[in-house]
Amino acid sequence: MSEVPHYVLYEHAVGYALMKIKEFEDAGLIIQEVDASIADVSKFSGIVKLAAFDPFKNTEAALENANAISEGLAHADLINFLESSLPQKKKKLILGVNDSKLAGSLTEANVGIKLVFGGVVTEILRGVRVHFAHLAKDLPHHSLAKAQLSLGHSYSRGKVKFDVHRVDNMVIQSIALLDQLDKDINLFGMRIREWYSYHYPELFKLVPDQYKYARLAVTILDRNKMHENENLLAEITAGMRVVLNTHLV
């Protein structure tokens, strides 16, 4: 079972928040407390309190930090925030973070504090995410929602490489995808005709259409056995009539 952290780091669209955790001797006890108080903000506030908050300077800084967090990297803003907000005596302190990669990145940055993740940290952050607007009372609730929406749009545009100056970018990508699919289908059709013609060479010239050829190949399978099944033979004959657009005698 993971150790109980003294603080947890919470990343919000408006900035970094350092949450102080009530002292517990056993991680199992705090998990029970969090689970029991997740629906009651007054109970949860008795376990977790806002110790420090560092707002992002602007939307560009918010996006830059969000990209770093998503990749498990410790941004300079985060390192400065932790160094200025955590107590100076850090040897025995434990900080909980949401991601193992971020924990490794902070360790490499020599923040001078023990880092844990998962387990009890995940449960605490789940509660913080639900009740953050109440825990950070000084921040206006409508600003939190607007910041999340704005950052979400900016982050999504960056991930899908969307160019706001070219609204037809998605259409161009869709056409390119259709062209690629058409090439792939033709390639696979040629492979089927090439490989199956070793078994049934006569069918290659009889059926020039790749789709119909593939349908017949799936239906016939082993040409040596198709005469044993009258129903299969009738189905193949009917299919051949459609393919050749004529009657077989």
Side-chain angles (χ1 to χ4, degrees):
M1 184 171 290
S2 61
E3 297 179 82
V4 180
H6 299 97
Y7 296 89
V8 294
L9 173 68
Y10 177 62
E11 310 95 14
H12 195 274
V14 293
Y16 291 115
L18 190 65
M19 316 301 296
K20 184 172 177 57
I21 311 302
K22 177 183 175 182
E23 292 187 7
F24 286 86
E25 295 181 358
D26 185 7
L29 296 177
I30 188 172
I31 291 178
Q32 294 176 7
E33 289 277 351
V34 171
D35 289 341
S37 63
I38 194 70
D40 190 340
V41 64
S42 60
K43 291 182 179 179
F44 189 79
S45 299
I47 303 173
V48 180
K49 295 185 181 298
L50 180 65
F53 181 77
D54 183 30
F56 296 128
K57 297 177 181 179
N58 47 46
T59 55
E60 289 77 12
L63 179 59
E64 191 176 324
N65 279 269
N67 286 326
I69 290 295
S70 67
E71 296 174 4
L73 302 176
H75 194 275
D77 292 345
L78 174 58
I79 296 173
N80 293 334
F81 168 63
L82 293 176
E83 289 179 348
S84 61
S85 302
L86 288 170
Q88 293 183 352
K89 296 181 180 180
K90 303 176 183 177
K91 289 185 178 180
K92 296 183 179 181
L93 289 180
I94 301 175
L95 174 66
V97 295
N98 192 39
D99 182 54
S100 60
K101 292 183 179 179
L102 180 60
S105 182
L106 287 171
T107 301
E108 292 177 0
N110 295 320
V111 292
I113 189 172
K114 185 175 182 179
L115 295 153
V116 294
F117 55 88
V120 62
V121 177
T122 302
E123 294 301 315
I124 294 172
L125 288 174
R126 183 168 65 92
V128 172
R129 193 174 296 110
V130 173
H131 300 300
F132 183 73
H134 297 280
L135 295 171
K137 296 179 181 179
D138 295 335
L139 299 175
H141 293 191
H142 67 277
S143 296
L144 296 177
K146 287 183 178 179
Q148 286 178 316
L149 181 62
S150 175
L151 180 60
H153 286 167
S154 300
Y155 182 80
S156 299
R157 279 198 298 268
K159 286 300 180 182
V160 300
K161 297 180 180 179
F162 180 71
D163 187 353
V164 294
H165 300 295
R166 293 189 61 181
V167 294
D168 59 344
N169 196 38
M170 291 297 182
V171 177
I172 295 173
Q173 291 180 357
S174 299
I175 294 173
L177 178 60
L178 289 173
D179 290 340
Q180 185 61 45
L181 287 173
D182 190 48
K183 291 179 181 178
D184 291 342
I185 291 171
N186 287 332
L187 176 62
F188 297 149
M190 291 172 60
R191 291 289 182 269
I192 292 172
R193 290 171 65 86
E194 179 184 352
W195 295 339
Y196 194 69
S197 64
Y198 287 109
H199 174 66
Y200 198 165
E202 297 86 354
L203 193 64
F204 188 91
K205 293 182 179 180
L206 287 174
V207 187
D209 184 87
Q210 292 187 3
Y211 175 73
K212 294 176 181 178
Y213 186 94
R215 290 285 302 273
L216 282 170
V218 171
T219 305
I220 296 171
L221 295 178
D222 187 353
R223 62 177 296 187
N224 299 320
K225 295 182 180 180
M226 65 179 180
H227 297 286
E228 300 175 2
N229 190 329
E230 294 183 358
N231 294 331
L232 177 61
L233 188 59
E235 183 179 350
I236 294 171
T237 303
M240 290 294 291
R241 284 174 178 168
V242 174
V243 170
L244 300 175
N245 197 22
T246 185
H247 293 283
L248 298 179
V249 179

